[in-house]
Amino acid sequence: MSPRTAIDAEGAWFEPDRIAELRRHLPIPYIDVVPVRTDVDGTVAQVGLLLRASGTGRIVRTIVSGRVLIHETLREAIARHIDKDLGSMALPRIPASPVPFTVAEYFPTPGQSLFTDPRQHAISLAYLVPVDGEASPQEDALELNWYDVAELLESGVMDELEGGHDIVVRRALAHAGVI
Amino acid sequence: MSPRTAIDAEGAWFEPDRIAELRRHLPIPYIDVVPVRTDVDGTVAQVGLLLRASGTGRIVRTIVSGRVLIHETLREAIARHIDKDLGSMALPRIPASPVPFTVAEYFPTPGQSLFTDPRQHAISLAYLVPVDGEASPQEDALELNWYDVAELLESGVMDELEGGHDIVVRRALAHAGVI
Amino acid sequence: MSPRTAIDAEGAWFEPDRIAELRRHLPIPYIDVVPVRTDVDGTVAQVGLLLRASGTGRIVRTIVSGRVLIHETLREAIARHIDKDLGSMALPRIPASPVPFTVAEYFPTPGQSLFTDPRQHAISLAYLVPVDGEASPQEDALELNWYDVAELLESGVMDELEGGHDIVVRRALAHAGVI
Amino acid sequence: MSPRTAIDAEGAWFEPDRIAELRRHLPIPYIDVVPVRTDVDGTVAQVGLLLRASGTGRIVRTIVSGRVLIHETLREAIARHIDKDLGSMALPRIPASPVPFTVAEYFPTPGQSLFTDPRQHAISLAYLVPVDGEASPQEDALELNWYDVAELLESGVMDELEGGHDIVVRRALAHAGVI
């Protein structure tokens, strides 16, 4: 999640200097997506997490997450980031409502909230998105794994999420009524 | 929506006298479902309304609505009522979260709330449910019609909904961000 | 939470036989309230839990919880149960919206959901209610204790909640953005 | 709501050129607040609307609305804008949850969404905030008026709200269960 990765991820729309400048002046609007697979009755059964190289060379787990671009709707941003991370064969059911299940406020300084992002102050609207098709890791992602809810919570996988993404996942599962 | 219709709709699990007795003593847990069709980006595009004969012989428009039975989960109740009203070829996407977009409190006496049901005090959890398959009216329903959101609001169709179902539909559309 | 306690708590409106009969036939509409104290900026700071004798003579921790009566609005039920459990000097800020933060489905048989109530199938709408005044334990409650959020989660207090009330509290805190 | 007004309202933290530059590159995070007075049982009884001179010299009605600043939490932004618009004697009950009742996406070009703001693409998290104290109009506001819900909807006052603020108010009232 280095500045460089972020810029690449957005399609190099900004020069690195430009986005660094913007980040000094404004909170950056974000969306966080927790991809899930559901049972036929709608119950969340599995959570999808990506494994990717961070900007600093470490391997980290992440949810789908990224900026909302200028003139882009939230729905477009959700669809674009899912497409970018899970591929065009993923069939996301983007929520009918724009109301997020939580809002995660990421600050550069740890401790100002439960969420940190060393690059920026981001305000992220978080959505639970059932995915029906064949999702596969894209670009800089190494793996996409689906975890049964119980397995996810009992394993150490949640600890591999950074910056508070584990809390976003927990809130998604609490909202969905499975924890 | 006579007692008789309601009992039939529930599969005659109760004798008419028995349910009348229960209704004198307890609020009845209900679910209301607003069936919708969505665009690929999740935006609500159309609302599905049923036309059916009421217990008193009048023709009324309704949403999908019915009791939660003893030992039945909310998800089971939602699926059962959609199946009963829209048929087994309807492919509902039952919400991942049990949180309703509103709670409608129906009272027998008009004026105690915005919702009335002459038969009973019902507490209804209302859900917006996108339907993908081929829905068709079942049993005592005469028609199922899908209305574009703008068309629905401009026509007189909303006035044909009774007991406050028009308010349930409006709240669903407000929650979905389309009005 | 024996039948007897429940009946007393409702003001003996029903004979024990009658409510047992009703419980065999219908899910019982309930409200669960997680009483909290908030900072001036609205952040949840403390959670209030009651200590009371259960119907079987054990001492248990509980949140505020109880039935919705026939012809009673949800707001009236919330106010009545808070008044009954926390006293008339408690100044609850009953939520402006009827939308609960979660719906807890209690079944008599453990395992059908995360929530159990040996007495009945209850469908409980759960609300987070900030309390401003001087709350004090009433009637059969032995104590009312306010716990800082971090303290609550680190202590063993959460384990003293039964039937899934700990999950209701966790979902309330997740919804409030503090865990 | 000219650029100049906006800058003044934010305490002149930016030069006009700078904020115009930022607005060309990023969606601007906003909060919208619908101030309400509630009955003792929490029911929304009245809505507070401001009358102010717009940047172009016209008189317009508005809700409380403004930017989230860099390094500012949503709670701080809500409190700051209420304080700025309703005065320090207003006692807002800032919601316990960060989840907005809706998200309004304002675009400069009419028609891209239900919300327009000629100055910018703003993503606004909307909150319903009960106000207890003595609110009074501040700075460039001419009046603060409280309207009973029924009166508000029947009068022409809703038509004096611009850019979709009337829709924000309607969604607030729908969420609160009063329309």
Side-chain angles (χ1 to χ4, degrees):
Chain A
M1 294 198 288
S2 69
R4 192 178 164 281
T5 303
I7 294 158
D8 288 352
E10 304 301 344
W13 290 25
F14 291 139
E15 298 298 318
D17 285 359
R18 165 58 55 79
I19 192 159
E21 166 79 0
L22 294 172
R23 282 170 168 156
R24 274 197 295 276
H25 291 292
L26 278 185
I28 310 294
Y30 255 63
I31 56 100
D32 281 354
V33 170
V34 179
V36 296
R37 284 180 174 158
T38 58
D39 290 340
V40 69
D41 73 352
T43 307
V44 169
Q46 295 187 312
V47 177
L49 297 177
L50 293 157
L51 196 67
R52 65 170 52 167
S54 81
T56 58
R58 291 184 311 110
I59 305 296
V60 295
R61 294 224 185 253
T62 71
I63 54 178
V64 174
S65 181
R67 287 203 297 121
V68 184
L69 300 180
I70 185 81
H71 297 147
E72 185 180 47
T73 65
L74 287 165
R75 292 186 184 285
E76 288 166 347
I78 293 168
R80 177 172 59 83
H81 285 290
I82 290 175
D83 186 76
K84 176 171 62 65
D85 283 352
L86 304 185
S88 59
M89 303 298 284
L91 298 174
R93 295 187 237 148
I94 299 175
S97 172
V99 178
F101 67 82
T102 199
V103 182
E105 303 178 70
Y106 296 86
F107 290 98
T109 310
Q112 190 167 356
S113 82
L114 297 173
F115 305 96
T116 54
D117 184 337
R119 299 168 301 166
Q120 64 197 344
H121 173 196
I123 299 176
S124 192
L125 307 187
Y127 298 94
L128 186 76
V129 179
V131 172
D132 282 334
E134 287 305 310
S136 56
Q138 304 294 305
E139 300 188 3
D140 59 344
L142 307 174
E143 284 181 20
L144 167 67
N145 296 105
W146 294 96
Y147 298 94
D148 289 352
V149 170
E151 173 195 2
L152 176 63
L153 297 172
E154 287 163 16
S155 70
V157 171
M158 291 289 276
D159 298 335
E160 301 171 22
L161 292 162
E162 301 201 333
H165 279 180
D166 56 328
I167 296 172
V168 173
V169 171
R170 279 184 200 282
R171 287 188 193 169
L173 296 175
H175 178 68
V178 292
I179 66 171
Chain B
M1 293 198 288
S2 70
R4 191 176 165 282
T5 303
I7 294 157
D8 289 352
E10 305 301 345
W13 288 25
F14 291 138
E15 298 298 320
D17 286 359
R18 167 57 54 79
I19 192 158
E21 166 79 0
L22 294 172
R23 282 172 168 155
R24 275 197 295 275
H25 291 294
L26 278 184
I28 309 296
Y30 255 63
I31 55 102
D32 280 353
V33 169
V34 179
V36 296
R37 284 181 174 158
T38 58
D39 290 339
V40 68
D41 72 352
T43 306
V44 169
Q46 294 187 313
V47 176
L49 296 178
L50 292 157
L51 196 67
R52 66 170 52 165
S54 81
T56 58
R58 289 185 311 112
I59 306 296
V60 295
R61 297 228 182 249
T62 71
I63 54 177
V64 174
S65 180
R67 286 205 298 122
V68 184
L69 300 179
I70 186 81
H71 297 147
E72 184 180 47
T73 65
L74 286 166
R75 292 186 185 285
E76 288 165 349
I78 294 169
R80 178 173 59 83
H81 285 290
I82 291 175
D83 186 75
K84 176 171 62 66
D85 282 352
L86 305 186
S88 59
M89 303 298 283
L91 299 174
R93 298 186 235 148
I94 298 174
S97 172
V99 177
F101 68 82
T102 199
V103 182
E105 303 177 70
Y106 296 85
F107 290 98
T109 310
Q112 191 167 357
S113 81
L114 298 173
F115 306 96
T116 54
D117 184 337
R119 300 169 299 166
Q120 62 195 348
H121 173 196
I123 300 176
S124 191
L125 307 187
Y127 299 94
L128 186 76
V129 179
V131 172
D132 282 335
E134 287 305 311
S136 56
Q138 304 293 306
E139 300 188 4
D140 59 345
L142 307 174
E143 285 182 22
L144 167 67
N145 295 104
W146 294 95
Y147 298 93
D148 290 352
V149 171
E151 174 195 2
L152 177 63
L153 298 173
E154 287 163 17
S155 70
V157 172
M158 292 289 276
D159 298 335
E160 300 171 23
L161 292 162
E162 300 200 335
H165 279 181
D166 56 328
I167 296 172
V168 173
V169 171
R170 280 183 198 281
R171 288 187 191 170
L173 296 175
H175 177 69
V178 291
I179 65 171
Chain C
M1 291 199 290
S2 70
R4 192 179 164 280
T5 303
I7 294 157
D8 289 351
E10 306 301 346
W13 288 25
F14 291 139
E15 298 299 318
D17 287 357
R18 167 56 56 78
I19 192 157
E21 167 79 359
L22 293 173
R23 282 170 167 156
R24 275 197 294 275
H25 291 292
L26 278 185
I28 310 295
Y30 254 63
I31 55 102
D32 281 353
V33 169
V34 179
V36 297
R37 284 181 174 157
T38 58
D39 290 339
V40 69
D41 72 353
T43 306
V44 169
Q46 295 187 313
V47 176
L49 296 177
L50 291 158
L51 196 67
R52 64 169 54 164
S54 80
T56 59
R58 291 184 312 111
I59 305 296
V60 295
R61 295 226 185 252
T62 71
I63 55 178
V64 174
S65 180
R67 287 204 297 121
V68 183
L69 300 179
I70 185 81
H71 297 147
E72 184 181 47
T73 65
L74 286 166
R75 292 185 184 285
E76 287 166 349
I78 293 169
R80 178 172 59 83
H81 286 290
I82 291 174
D83 186 75
K84 177 171 61 66
D85 282 352
L86 305 185
S88 59
M89 302 299 282
L91 299 175
R93 296 186 236 148
I94 297 175
S97 172
V99 178
F101 67 83
T102 200
V103 182
E105 302 178 71
Y106 296 85
F107 290 99
T109 310
Q112 191 167 355
S113 82
L114 297 172
F115 306 96
T116 54
D117 184 337
R119 299 169 299 164
Q120 63 195 345
H121 173 196
I123 299 176
S124 191
L125 307 187
Y127 298 94
L128 185 77
V129 178
V131 173
D132 282 335
E134 287 305 311
S136 57
Q138 303 295 306
E139 300 188 3
D140 58 344
L142 306 174
E143 284 181 22
L144 166 68
N145 295 105
W146 295 94
Y147 297 94
D148 290 351
V149 171
E151 174 195 1
L152 176 63
L153 298 173
E154 287 162 16
S155 72
V157 172
M158 291 288 277
D159 298 335
E160 300 170 23
L161 291 162
E162 303 200 332
H165 279 180
D166 56 328
I167 296 172
V168 174
V169 171
R170 281 184 199 280
R171 288 188 191 169
L173 297 176
H175 178 69
V178 293
I179 66 170
Chain D
M1 292 199 287
S2 69
R4 191 177 166 281
T5 303
I7 294 158
D8 289 351
E10 305 301 346
W13 288 25
F14 291 140
E15 297 298 319
D17 285 358
R18 167 58 54 77
I19 193 158
E21 167 79 2
L22 293 172
R23 282 171 168 155
R24 275 197 295 275
H25 290 292
L26 278 185
I28 309 296
Y30 255 63
I31 55 101
D32 280 352
V33 170
V34 178
V36 296
R37 284 180 174 157
T38 59
D39 289 340
V40 69
D41 72 354
T43 306
V44 169
Q46 295 187 311
V47 176
L49 296 177
L50 292 157
L51 196 67
R52 65 170 53 165
S54 80
T56 58
R58 290 185 310 111
I59 305 298
V60 295
R61 294 226 185 251
T62 71
I63 54 178
V64 173
S65 181
R67 287 205 295 122
V68 184
L69 300 179
I70 185 82
H71 297 146
E72 184 181 48
T73 65
L74 286 166
R75 292 186 185 286
E76 288 166 348
I78 293 169
R80 178 173 58 83
H81 285 291
I82 291 174
D83 186 75
K84 176 171 61 67
D85 282 353
L86 305 185
S88 58
M89 302 300 282
L91 298 174
R93 297 186 235 148
I94 298 175
S97 171
V99 178
F101 67 82
T102 199
V103 182
E105 304 178 70
Y106 296 86
F107 290 98
T109 310
Q112 190 167 357
S113 82
L114 298 172
F115 306 96
T116 54
D117 184 337
R119 299 168 300 166
Q120 62 195 346
H121 173 196
I123 299 175
S124 191
L125 307 186
Y127 298 94
L128 186 76
V129 179
V131 172
D132 281 335
E134 287 306 310
S136 57
Q138 303 294 304
E139 300 187 3
D140 58 345
L142 307 174
E143 284 182 20
L144 166 67
N145 295 104
W146 294 95
Y147 297 94
D148 289 352
V149 170
E151 173 195 2
L152 176 63
L153 298 172
E154 286 162 19
S155 71
V157 171
M158 291 289 276
D159 298 334
E160 300 171 22
L161 292 162
E162 301 201 334
H165 279 181
D166 56 328
I167 296 172
V168 173
V169 171
R170 280 185 199 280
R171 288 188 191 169
L173 296 176
H175 178 69
V178 292
I179 65 170

